[in-house]
Coordinates of all heavy atoms in Angstrom, one line a residue:
A205 N -1.4 -0.4 13.2 CA -1.1 -0.4 14.6 C -2.2 -0.8 15.5 O -2.0 -1.6 16.5 CB -0.6 1.0 15.0
C206 N -3.4 -0.4 15.2 CA -4.6 -0.7 16.0 C -4.9 -2.2 15.9 O -5.2 -2.8 16.9 CB -5.8 0.0 15.5 SG -5.8 1.7 16.1
T207 N -4.8 -2.7 14.7 CA -5.1 -4.2 14.6 C -4.1 -5.1 15.4 O -4.6 -6.0 16.1 CB -5.0 -4.6 13.1 OG1 -6.0 -3.8 12.3 CG2 -5.3 -6.0 12.9
L208 N -2.9 -4.8 15.3 CA -1.8 -5.5 16.0 C -2.1 -5.3 17.6 O -2.1 -6.3 18.3 CB -0.5 -5.0 15.7 CG 0.7 -5.6 16.5 CD1 0.8 -7.1 16.3 CD2 2.0 -5.0 16.0
A209 N -2.3 -4.1 18.0 CA -2.6 -3.8 19.4 C -3.9 -4.5 19.9 O -3.8 -5.1 21.1 CB -2.7 -2.3 19.6
Y210 N -4.9 -4.5 19.2 CA -6.2 -5.2 19.6 C -5.9 -6.7 19.7 O -6.4 -7.3 20.6 CB -7.3 -4.9 18.6 CG -7.9 -3.5 18.9 CD1 -8.3 -2.7 17.7 CD2 -8.1 -2.9 20.1 CE1 -8.8 -1.5 17.9 CE2 -8.6 -1.7 20.3 CZ -9.0 -1.0 19.2 OH -9.5 0.3 19.3
E211 N -5.2 -7.2 18.8 CA -4.9 -8.6 18.9 C -4.0 -9.0 20.2 O -4.4 -10.0 20.9 CB -4.1 -9.1 17.7 CG -3.8 -10.6 17.7 CD -5.0 -11.5 17.5 OE1 -6.0 -11.0 17.0 OE2 -4.9 -12.6 18.1
L212 N -3.1 -8.2 20.5 CA -2.3 -8.4 21.8 C -3.2 -8.2 23.0 O -3.2 -9.0 23.9 CB -1.2 -7.4 21.9 CG 0.0 -7.7 20.9 CD1 1.0 -6.5 20.8 CD2 0.7 -9.0 21.1
I213 N -4.1 -7.2 23.0 CA -4.9 -7.0 24.1 C -5.9 -8.2 24.3 O -6.2 -8.7 25.3 CB -5.8 -5.7 23.9 CG1 -4.9 -4.5 24.1 CG2 -7.0 -5.7 24.9 CD1 -5.5 -3.2 23.6
N214 N -6.5 -8.7 23.1 CA -7.4 -9.8 23.2 C -6.7 -11.1 23.7 O -7.4 -11.9 24.3 CB -8.0 -10.0 21.8 CG -9.0 -9.0 21.4 OD1 -9.6 -8.3 22.3 ND2 -9.2 -8.8 20.1
R215 N -5.4 -11.2 23.5 CA -4.6 -12.3 24.0 C -4.3 -12.1 25.5 O -3.6 -13.0 26.1 CB -3.4 -12.5 23.2 CG -3.7 -13.0 21.8 CD -2.3 -13.2 21.1 NE -2.6 -13.6 19.7 CZ -1.7 -14.0 18.9 NH1 -0.4 -14.2 19.3 NH2 -1.9 -14.4 17.6
G216 N -4.5 -11.0 26.0 CA -4.2 -10.7 27.4 C -2.7 -10.3 27.6 O -2.2 -10.4 28.7
E217 N -2.1 -9.9 26.5 CA -0.7 -9.5 26.6 C -0.6 -8.0 26.7 O -1.2 -7.2 26.1 CB 0.1 -9.9 25.4 CG 0.1 -11.4 25.1 CD 0.9 -11.8 23.9 OE1 1.9 -11.2 23.6 OE2 0.5 -12.8 23.3
S218 N 0.3 -7.6 27.8 CA 0.6 -6.1 27.9 C 1.7 -5.8 27.0 O 2.6 -6.6 26.7 CB 0.9 -5.8 29.4 OG -0.1 -6.1 30.2
F219 N 1.8 -4.5 26.6 CA 2.9 -4.1 25.7 C 3.0 -2.6 25.8 O 2.2 -1.9 26.4 CB 2.6 -4.5 24.2 CG 1.3 -4.0 23.7 CD1 1.3 -2.8 23.0 CD2 0.2 -4.6 23.9 CE1 0.1 -2.2 22.5 CE2 -1.0 -4.1 23.4 CZ -1.0 -2.9 22.7
F220 N 4.1 -2.1 25.3 CA 4.3 -0.7 25.2 C 4.0 -0.1 23.9 O 4.3 -0.7 22.9 CB 5.8 -0.3 25.5 CG 6.2 -0.4 27.0 CD1 6.8 -1.5 27.5 CD2 5.8 0.6 27.9 CE1 7.1 -1.6 28.8 CE2 6.1 0.5 29.2 CZ 6.8 -0.6 29.6
F221 N 3.3 1.0 23.9 CA 3.0 1.8 22.7 C 4.0 3.1 22.8 O 3.8 3.8 23.7 CB 1.6 2.2 22.6 CG 1.2 3.0 21.4 CD1 1.0 2.4 20.2 CD2 1.2 4.4 21.4 CE1 0.6 3.1 19.0 CE2 0.9 5.2 20.2 CZ 0.6 4.5 19.0
C222 N 4.8 3.2 21.8 CA 5.8 4.2 22.0 C 5.9 5.1 20.7 O 5.7 4.6 19.6 CB 7.2 3.6 22.1 SG 8.6 4.7 22.2
Y223 N 6.0 6.4 20.9 CA 6.0 7.3 19.8 C 7.0 8.5 20.1 O 7.2 8.7 21.3 CB 4.7 7.8 19.4 CG 3.9 8.6 20.4 CD1 4.1 9.9 20.6 CD2 3.1 7.9 21.2 CE1 3.5 10.6 21.6 CE2 2.4 8.5 22.3 CZ 2.6 9.9 22.4 OH 1.9 10.6 23.5
Y224 N 7.4 9.1 19.1 CA 8.4 10.3 19.3 C 7.5 11.5 19.4 O 6.6 11.8 18.5 CB 9.3 10.4 18.2 CG 10.3 11.6 18.5 CD1 11.3 11.4 19.4 CD2 10.1 12.8 17.9 CE1 12.2 12.5 19.7 CE2 11.0 13.9 18.1 CZ 12.0 13.6 19.0 OH 12.8 14.7 19.3
S225 N 7.7 12.3 20.4 CA 6.9 13.5 20.6 C 7.8 14.7 20.2 O 8.8 15.0 20.9 CB 6.5 13.7 22.1 OG 6.0 14.9 22.3
S226 N 7.3 15.5 19.3 CA 8.0 16.7 18.9 C 7.9 17.8 20.0 O 8.8 18.6 20.1 CB 7.4 17.2 17.6 OG 7.6 16.3 16.5
F227 N 6.8 17.7 20.7 CA 6.6 18.7 21.8 C 7.7 18.4 22.9 O 8.3 19.4 23.4 CB 5.2 18.5 22.5 CG 4.1 18.8 21.6 CD1 3.1 17.9 21.4 CD2 4.0 20.0 21.0 CE1 2.0 18.1 20.6 CE2 2.9 20.4 20.2 CZ 1.9 19.4 20.0
E228 N 7.8 17.2 23.3 CA 8.7 16.8 24.4 C 10.2 16.5 23.9 O 11.1 16.5 24.7 CB 8.3 15.5 25.1 CG 6.9 15.6 25.6 CD 6.8 16.5 26.9 OE1 7.8 16.5 27.6 OE2 5.7 17.1 27.1
E229 N 10.4 16.4 22.6 CA 11.6 16.0 22.0 C 12.2 14.8 22.6 O 13.4 14.7 23.0 CB 12.7 17.2 22.1 CG 12.2 18.4 21.3 CD 13.2 19.5 21.3 OE1 14.2 19.5 22.1 OE2 13.1 20.4 20.5
D230 N 11.3 13.8 22.8 CA 11.7 12.6 23.4 C 10.6 11.5 23.0 O 9.6 11.8 22.5 CB 11.7 12.7 24.9 CG 12.6 11.6 25.6 OD1 13.1 10.7 24.9 OD2 12.6 11.6 26.9
F231 N 10.9 10.2 23.3 CA 10.0 9.2 23.1 C 9.0 9.1 24.3 O 9.4 9.2 25.5 CB 10.7 7.8 22.9 CG 11.4 7.8 21.6 CD1 12.8 8.1 21.5 CD2 10.7 7.4 20.4 CE1 13.4 8.1 20.3 CE2 11.4 7.4 19.3 CZ 12.7 7.8 19.1
I232 N 7.8 8.9 24.0 CA 6.8 8.8 25.0 C 6.3 7.3 24.9 O 5.9 6.8 23.9 CB 5.6 9.6 24.7 CG1 6.0 11.1 24.6 CG2 4.5 9.5 25.8 CD1 6.7 11.7 25.8
K233 N 6.3 6.7 26.1 CA 6.0 5.2 26.2 C 4.7 5.1 27.0 O 4.6 5.7 28.1 CB 7.1 4.4 26.9 CG 8.3 4.2 26.0 CD 9.4 3.5 26.6 CE 9.2 2.5 27.7 NZ 10.4 1.8 28.2
H234 N 3.7 4.3 26.5 CA 2.5 4.1 27.2 C 2.4 2.6 27.4 O 2.6 1.8 26.5 CB 1.3 4.5 26.4 CG 1.1 6.0 26.3 ND1 0.5 6.8 27.2 CD2 1.6 6.8 25.3 CE1 0.6 8.0 26.8 NE2 1.2 8.1 25.6
L235 N 2.3 2.1 28.7 CA 2.1 0.7 28.9 C 0.6 0.4 28.7 O -0.3 1.1 29.2 CB 2.4 0.4 30.4 CG 2.2 -1.1 30.8 CD1 3.0 -2.1 29.9 CD2 2.6 -1.3 32.2
I236 N 0.4 -0.5 27.8 CA -1.0 -0.8 27.4 C -1.5 -2.2 28.0 O -0.8 -3.2 27.8 CB -1.1 -0.9 25.8 CG1 -0.6 0.3 25.2 CG2 -2.5 -1.2 25.4 CD1 -1.2 1.7 25.5
H237 N -2.6 -2.1 28.7 CA -3.2 -3.3 29.3 C -4.6 -3.5 28.7 O -5.1 -4.6 28.8 CB -3.4 -3.2 30.8 CG -2.1 -3.0 31.6 ND1 -1.2 -4.1 31.7 CD2 -1.6 -2.0 32.3 CE1 -0.2 -3.7 32.5 NE2 -0.3 -2.5 32.7
S238 N -5.2 -2.4 28.3 CA -6.6 -2.5 27.8 C -6.9 -1.7 26.6 O -6.0 -0.8 26.2 CB -7.5 -2.1 29.0 OG -7.3 -0.6 29.2
K239 N -8.0 -1.7 26.0 CA -8.4 -0.9 24.9 C -8.5 0.6 25.3 O -8.2 1.4 24.5 CB -9.8 -1.4 24.3 CG -9.7 -2.7 23.6 CD -11.0 -3.2 23.0 CE -10.9 -4.5 22.4 NZ -12.1 -5.0 21.8
E240 N -8.9 0.8 26.5 CA -8.9 2.2 27.0 C -7.5 2.8 27.0 O -7.3 4.0 26.7 CB -9.6 2.3 28.4 CG -11.0 1.9 28.4 CD -11.4 0.5 28.3 OE1 -10.5 -0.4 28.6 OE2 -12.6 0.1 28.0
D241 N -6.6 2.0 27.5 CA -5.1 2.5 27.5 C -4.6 2.8 26.1 O -4.0 3.8 25.9 CB -4.2 1.4 28.1 CG -4.4 1.2 29.6 OD1 -5.0 2.0 30.3 OD2 -4.0 0.1 30.0
L242 N -5.0 1.9 25.2 CA -4.6 2.1 23.8 C -5.3 3.3 23.2 O -4.6 4.1 22.6 CB -5.0 0.8 23.0 CG -4.6 1.0 21.4 CD1 -3.2 1.1 21.2 CD2 -5.3 -0.2 20.7
E243 N -6.5 3.6 23.4 CA -7.3 4.7 22.9 C -6.6 6.0 23.4 O -6.5 7.0 22.7 CB -8.8 4.6 23.2 CG -9.4 3.6 22.5 CD -10.8 3.3 22.9 OE1 -11.3 4.1 23.8 OE2 -11.5 2.4 22.4
Q244 N -6.2 6.0 24.7 CA -5.6 7.2 25.2 C -4.3 7.5 24.6 O -3.9 8.6 24.2 CB -5.5 7.2 26.8 CG -5.0 8.4 27.4 CD -5.9 9.6 27.1 OE1 -7.1 9.5 27.4 NE2 -5.3 10.7 26.6
A245 N -3.5 6.4 24.4 CA -2.2 6.5 23.8 C -2.2 7.0 22.4 O -1.5 7.9 21.9 CB -1.4 5.2 23.9
L246 N -3.2 6.5 21.6 CA -3.4 6.8 20.2 C -3.8 8.4 20.1 O -3.4 9.1 19.2 CB -4.4 5.9 19.6 CG -3.9 4.5 19.3 CD1 -5.1 3.7 18.7 CD2 -2.8 4.5 18.2
L247 N -4.8 8.7 21.1 CA -5.1 10.1 21.0 C -3.9 11.1 21.3 O -3.8 12.1 20.6 CB -6.2 10.4 22.1 CG -7.6 10.0 21.8 CD1 -8.5 10.2 23.0 CD2 -8.2 10.8 20.6
N248 N -3.1 10.7 22.3 CA -2.0 11.5 22.5 C -1.0 11.5 21.3 O -0.5 12.6 21.0 CB -1.2 11.0 23.7 CG -2.0 11.1 25.0 OD1 -3.0 11.9 25.1 ND2 -1.5 10.4 26.1
C249 N -0.9 10.5 20.7 CA 0.0 10.3 19.4 C -0.5 11.2 18.4 O 0.1 11.9 17.6 CB 0.2 8.9 19.1 SG 1.2 8.6 17.7
F250 N -1.9 11.1 18.1 CA -2.5 11.7 17.0 C -2.3 13.2 17.0 O -2.2 13.8 16.0 CB -4.0 11.4 17.1 CG -4.8 12.0 15.9 CD1 -4.7 11.4 14.7 CD2 -5.5 13.1 16.1 CE1 -5.5 11.9 13.6 CE2 -6.2 13.7 15.0 CZ -6.2 13.0 13.7
Y251 N -2.2 13.8 18.1 CA -2.1 15.3 18.2 C -0.6 15.8 18.3 O -0.4 16.9 18.5 CB -2.9 15.8 19.4 CG -4.4 15.7 19.1 CD1 -5.1 14.8 19.7 CD2 -5.0 16.6 18.2 CE1 -6.5 14.7 19.5 CE2 -6.3 16.5 18.0 CZ -7.1 15.6 18.6 OH -8.4 15.5 18.3
Q252 N 0.3 14.9 17.9 CA 1.7 15.3 17.8 C 2.0 16.1 16.5 O 1.3 15.9 15.5 CB 2.7 14.1 17.9 CG 2.6 13.4 19.2 CD 3.0 14.3 20.4 OE1 4.1 15.0 20.3 NE2 2.3 14.3 21.4
I253 N 2.9 17.0 16.6 CA 3.3 17.7 15.4 C 4.2 16.8 14.6 O 5.2 16.2 15.1 CB 4.1 19.0 15.7 CG1 3.2 20.0 16.5 CG2 4.7 19.7 14.5 CD1 4.0 21.2 17.1
P254 N 4.0 16.7 13.3 CA 4.8 15.8 12.4 C 6.2 16.4 12.3 O 6.4 17.6 12.3 CB 4.1 15.8 11.0 CG 2.8 16.3 11.3 CD 2.8 17.1 12.5
Y255 N 7.2 15.5 12.2 CA 8.6 16.1 12.0 C 8.9 16.0 10.5 O 8.3 15.3 9.8 CB 9.7 15.2 12.8 CG 9.4 13.8 12.9 CD1 9.8 12.9 11.9 CD2 8.7 13.2 14.0 CE1 9.7 11.6 12.0 CE2 8.4 11.9 14.0 CZ 8.9 11.1 13.0 OH 8.7 9.7 13.0
K256 N 9.8 16.8 10.1 CA 10.1 16.9 8.6 C 11.0 15.9 8.0 O 10.8 15.5 6.9 CB 10.7 18.3 8.4 CG 9.7 19.4 8.7 CD 10.2 20.8 8.4 CE 9.1 21.8 8.9 NZ 9.5 23.1 8.8
D257 N 12.0 15.4 8.8 CA 12.9 14.4 8.3 C 12.2 13.1 8.3 O 11.7 12.6 9.3 CB 14.2 14.3 9.2 CG 14.9 15.6 9.0 OD1 14.8 16.3 8.0 OD2 15.7 15.9 10.0
E258 N 12.1 12.3 7.2 CA 11.3 11.2 7.0 C 11.6 10.1 8.0 O 10.6 9.6 8.6 CB 11.6 10.6 5.6 CG 10.8 9.4 5.3 CD 11.0 8.8 4.0 OE1 11.4 9.5 3.1 OE2 10.7 7.6 3.8
N259 N 12.8 9.8 8.4 CA 13.1 8.7 9.3 C 13.6 9.2 10.7 O 14.3 8.4 11.3 CB 14.1 7.8 8.7 CG 13.5 7.0 7.5 OD1 12.4 6.5 7.6 ND2 14.2 6.9 6.4
Y260 N 13.3 10.5 11.0 CA 13.9 11.1 12.2 C 13.7 10.3 13.5 O 14.6 9.9 14.2 CB 13.2 12.5 12.3 CG 13.9 13.3 13.5 CD1 15.1 13.7 13.5 CD2 13.1 13.6 14.6 CE1 15.7 14.4 14.5 CE2 13.6 14.4 15.6 CZ 14.9 14.7 15.6 OH 15.4 15.5 16.6
A261 N 12.4 9.9 13.8 CA 12.2 9.2 15.0 C 12.8 7.8 15.0 O 13.4 7.3 16.0 CB 10.7 9.0 15.3
L262 N 12.8 7.1 13.8 CA 13.3 5.8 13.7 C 14.9 5.9 14.0 O 15.4 5.1 14.7 CB 13.1 5.2 12.3 CG 13.7 3.9 12.0 CD1 13.2 2.8 13.0 CD2 13.5 3.4 10.6
E263 N 15.6 6.9 13.4 CA 17.0 7.1 13.5 C 17.3 7.4 15.0 O 18.2 6.8 15.6 CB 17.5 8.1 12.7 CG 17.6 7.7 11.2 CD 17.7 8.9 10.2 OE1 18.0 10.0 10.7 OE2 17.7 8.6 9.0
L264 N 16.5 8.2 15.7 CA 16.7 8.5 17.1 C 16.5 7.2 18.0 O 17.3 7.0 18.9 CB 15.8 9.6 17.6 CG 16.1 11.0 17.2 CD1 14.9 11.9 17.6 CD2 17.3 11.5 17.6
L265 N 15.5 6.4 17.7 CA 15.2 5.3 18.4 C 16.4 4.2 18.3 O 16.7 3.6 19.3 CB 13.9 4.6 17.9 CG 13.5 3.3 18.7 CD1 13.2 3.7 20.1 CD2 12.3 2.7 18.0
Q266 N 16.9 4.2 17.1 CA 18.0 3.2 17.0 C 19.3 3.6 17.8 O 20.1 2.7 18.1 CB 18.4 3.1 15.4 CG 17.3 2.4 14.7 CD 17.4 2.3 13.2 OE1 18.0 3.3 12.7 NE2 16.9 1.4 12.5
K267 N 19.4 4.8 18.2 CA 20.5 5.3 18.9 C 20.3 5.2 20.4 O 21.2 5.6 21.2 CB 20.8 6.8 18.6 CG 21.3 6.9 17.1 CD 21.5 8.4 16.8 CE 21.9 8.6 15.3 NZ 22.0 10.0 14.9
T268 N 19.1 4.8 20.8 CA 18.8 4.8 22.3 C 19.0 3.4 22.9 O 19.2 2.5 22.0 CB 17.3 5.2 22.6 OG1 16.5 4.2 22.0 CG2 16.9 6.5 21.9
D269 N 18.8 3.4 24.2 CA 18.9 2.0 24.8 C 17.5 1.5 25.1 O 17.4 0.6 25.9 CB 19.8 2.1 26.1 CG 19.2 3.1 27.0 OD1 18.3 3.8 26.8 OD2 19.7 3.1 28.2
L270 N 16.5 2.0 24.5 CA 15.2 1.5 24.7 C 15.0 0.0 24.3 O 15.6 -0.4 23.2 CB 14.1 2.3 23.9 CG 13.9 3.8 24.3 CD1 12.9 4.5 23.3 CD2 13.3 3.8 25.7
L271 N 14.3 -0.7 25.0 CA 14.2 -2.1 24.7 C 13.4 -2.2 23.4 O 12.5 -1.4 23.2 CB 13.4 -2.9 25.8 CG 14.1 -2.9 27.1 CD1 13.2 -3.6 28.1 CD2 15.4 -3.7 27.0
K272 N 13.8 -3.1 22.5 CA 13.2 -3.2 21.2 C 12.6 -4.5 21.1 O 13.1 -5.5 21.4 CB 14.2 -2.9 20.1 CG 14.8 -1.5 20.2 CD 15.8 -1.3 19.1 CE 16.4 0.1 19.2 NZ 17.6 0.3 18.3
G273 N 11.4 -4.5 20.4 CA 10.8 -5.7 19.9 C 10.5 -5.6 18.5 O 11.4 -5.5 17.7
T274 N 9.2 -5.5 18.2 CA 8.9 -5.2 16.8 C 8.6 -3.8 16.7 O 7.8 -3.2 17.5 CB 7.7 -6.0 16.3 OG1 8.1 -7.4 16.4 CG2 7.3 -5.8 14.9
I275 N 9.1 -3.1 15.7 CA 8.9 -1.6 15.5 C 8.1 -1.5 14.2 O 8.5 -2.0 13.2 CB 10.2 -0.9 15.3 CG1 11.0 -1.0 16.6 CG2 9.9 0.6 15.0 CD1 12.5 -0.5 16.4
L276 N 7.0 -0.9 14.4 CA 6.1 -0.6 13.2 C 6.3 0.8 12.9 O 5.9 1.7 13.6 CB 4.6 -0.9 13.6 CG 3.6 -0.8 12.4 CD1 3.9 -1.8 11.3 CD2 2.2 -1.0 12.9
H277 N 7.1 1.0 11.8 CA 7.4 2.4 11.4 C 6.5 2.9 10.4 O 6.4 2.3 9.3 CB 8.9 2.4 10.9 CG 9.4 3.7 10.4 ND1 9.9 4.0 9.2 CD2 9.2 5.0 11.0 CE1 10.2 5.3 9.1 NE2 9.8 5.9 10.2
I278 N 5.6 3.9 10.7 CA 4.6 4.4 9.8 C 5.0 5.9 9.3 O 5.3 6.7 10.1 CB 3.2 4.4 10.4 CG1 2.9 3.0 10.9 CG2 2.2 4.9 9.5 CD1 1.7 2.9 11.8
S279 N 5.0 6.0 8.0 CA 5.2 7.3 7.5 C 4.2 7.6 6.3 O 3.4 6.7 6.1 CB 6.7 7.5 7.0 OG 6.8 6.7 5.8
D280 N 4.3 8.7 5.6 CA 3.5 8.9 4.5 C 3.9 8.2 3.4 O 3.2 8.1 2.4 CB 3.4 10.5 4.2 CG 4.8 11.0 3.7 OD1 5.8 10.3 4.0 OD2 4.8 12.0 3.1
K281 N 5.0 7.4 3.4 CA 5.5 6.6 2.3 C 5.0 5.1 2.4 O 5.1 4.4 1.5 CB 7.0 6.5 2.3 CG 7.6 7.9 2.2 CD 7.3 8.6 0.9 CE 8.1 9.8 0.8 NZ 7.4 11.0 0.3
G282 N 4.3 4.8 3.6 CA 3.9 3.4 3.7 C 4.4 2.8 5.1 O 4.8 3.6 5.9
V283 N 4.3 1.5 5.2 CA 4.7 0.9 6.5 C 5.8 0.0 6.2 O 5.8 -0.9 5.3 CB 3.4 0.0 7.0 CG1 3.8 -0.7 8.2 CG2 2.2 1.0 7.2
N284 N 6.8 0.1 7.1 CA 8.0 -0.9 7.2 C 8.0 -1.6 8.4 O 8.0 -0.9 9.5 CB 9.3 -0.2 6.8 CG 9.2 0.5 5.5 OD1 9.0 -0.1 4.5 ND2 9.6 1.8 5.5
D285 N 8.1 -2.9 8.5 CA 8.4 -3.6 9.7 C 9.8 -3.8 9.9 O 10.5 -4.3 9.0 CB 7.7 -5.0 9.7 CG 6.2 -4.9 9.8 OD1 5.7 -4.1 10.5 OD2 5.5 -5.7 9.2
I286 N 10.2 -3.5 11.1 CA 11.7 -3.6 11.4 C 11.7 -4.5 12.7 O 11.2 -4.0 13.7 CB 12.3 -2.2 11.7 CG1 12.2 -1.4 10.4 CG2 13.8 -2.4 12.1 CD1 12.6 0.0 10.7
V287 N 12.3 -5.6 12.6 CA 12.5 -6.5 13.8 C 13.9 -6.4 14.2 O 14.8 -6.6 13.4 CB 12.1 -7.9 13.4 CG1 12.3 -8.8 14.6 CG2 10.7 -8.0 12.9
S288 N 14.1 -6.2 15.5 CA 15.5 -6.1 16.0 C 15.5 -6.8 17.4 O 14.6 -7.1 17.9 CB 15.9 -4.6 16.1 OG 15.0 -3.9 16.9

């Protein structure tokens, strides 16, 4: 996620970093313009409580009307790229 994000930042492209928050029971979106924005979003994400169902956030995201681009789904099983 960091490598992809840094590449976008270096190209001058803004993007959203989105993760599911177990605290908020909702998706949290951070608009990223800079490395500082990314670091803050990653810190917020890092301190979330993991959910027990393997694909819980992915399944919830697919049911929403959130704009989708490339989704990088990371779990303890590895990384899957889902383009929609």
